[in-house]
Structures are given as structure tokens and as C-alpha cells.
Amino acid sequence: MSLPACPKCNSEYVYEDQAMLICPECAHEWNPNEEVVDEDALILKDAVGNLLAEGDKVTLTKDLKVKGSSQVLKVGTKATIKRFVDGDHDIDCKVDGAGDMMLKSKFVKKA
């Protein structure tokens, strides 16, 4: 019987200890019967606490000034989330009528 490689370091020297698999190189332990959860994935919530996902349609909950221009994005402006990023402005999205922008998740609501 062949054991799977370590999901953290891809080591082939994994051994079994009762129901757990253990990697001797990075000391990662996991249960092969449990669903794998990506710990590095960003989990973001909107202004009212709904979980956001890439591809979701959102609306703005506050008037936002666009930095570097005189443009203001009004409440209710729609946007589509392209991806999540680390940092202060954690959503990379396409805003209707304004193009690609970075927004904070606390200023959007899932549509």
C-alpha cells in the first residue's frame, strides 16, 4: 500500500500512526479521511457578515472617494469580485462605470 506525499512539503517519507499520517521532515500531521482545508485561503465577510467568494456580485454600502481623482462611487454601485488579496484593500474587483479597483470588504454588501 502506497501512502500519499505530504501536503505541506511533498515529502515521500510519510508514515502512518494509527489513523494519522505524519511527515518526518516537516512534522505535519493529518488525517487522510478528513476533507483538506486550505489554511492559506483568505476568508472575507461583507459589511453585514455574509461570506464573500471570488466571482460574487456586490454593491457599495457607502459613498467612496476614488483616490487620485475627483470621482465618487455612490452607494449601491455594483461590482464583481475578481480575486482576494492580502492587505488593507482586500478585494480586487471590477466596478460598474469605473473599471478595476481595490476595495475594502467592510464597504461592500453581497448582492
Side-chain angles (χ1 to χ4, degrees):
M1 186 171 114
S2 175
L3 296 175
C6 175
K8 290 283 185 183
C9 69
N10 292 324
S11 171
E12 59 185 38
Y13 302 110
V14 173
Y15 64 92
E16 194 171 14
D17 184 19
Q18 296 181 0
M20 301 293 284
L21 295 178
I22 302 170
C23 175
E25 292 184 10
C26 70
H28 178 64
E29 298 181 12
W30 74 99
N31 186 340
N33 299 325
E34 289 181 359
E35 186 176 323
V36 177
V37 176
D38 186 6
E39 297 169 356
D40 296 332
L42 291 174
I43 298 173
L44 295 178
K45 294 185 178 183
D46 66 2
V48 293
N50 297 322
L51 285 178
L52 295 172
E54 294 177 1
D56 280 349
K57 307 273 187 205
V58 295
T59 57
L60 296 180
T61 59
K62 178 181 177 181
D63 286 348
L64 300 174
K65 293 180 182 178
V66 178
K67 191 173 185 178
S69 77
S70 60
Q71 185 179 11
V72 176
L73 300 175
K74 297 289 185 183
V75 172
T77 302
K78 295 179 182 179
T80 303
I81 298 174
K82 292 193 309 187
R83 65 186 177 110
F84 297 139
V85 294
D86 283 330
D88 188 30
H89 292 74
D90 47 13
I91 299 174
D92 185 11
C93 61
K94 182 171 174 80
V95 179
D96 290 353
D100 295 334
M101 293 199 176
M102 302 288 286
L103 296 174
K104 295 182 180 183
S105 58
K106 66 182 180 180
F107 296 129
V108 299
K109 180 175 73 169
K110 199 170 185 175

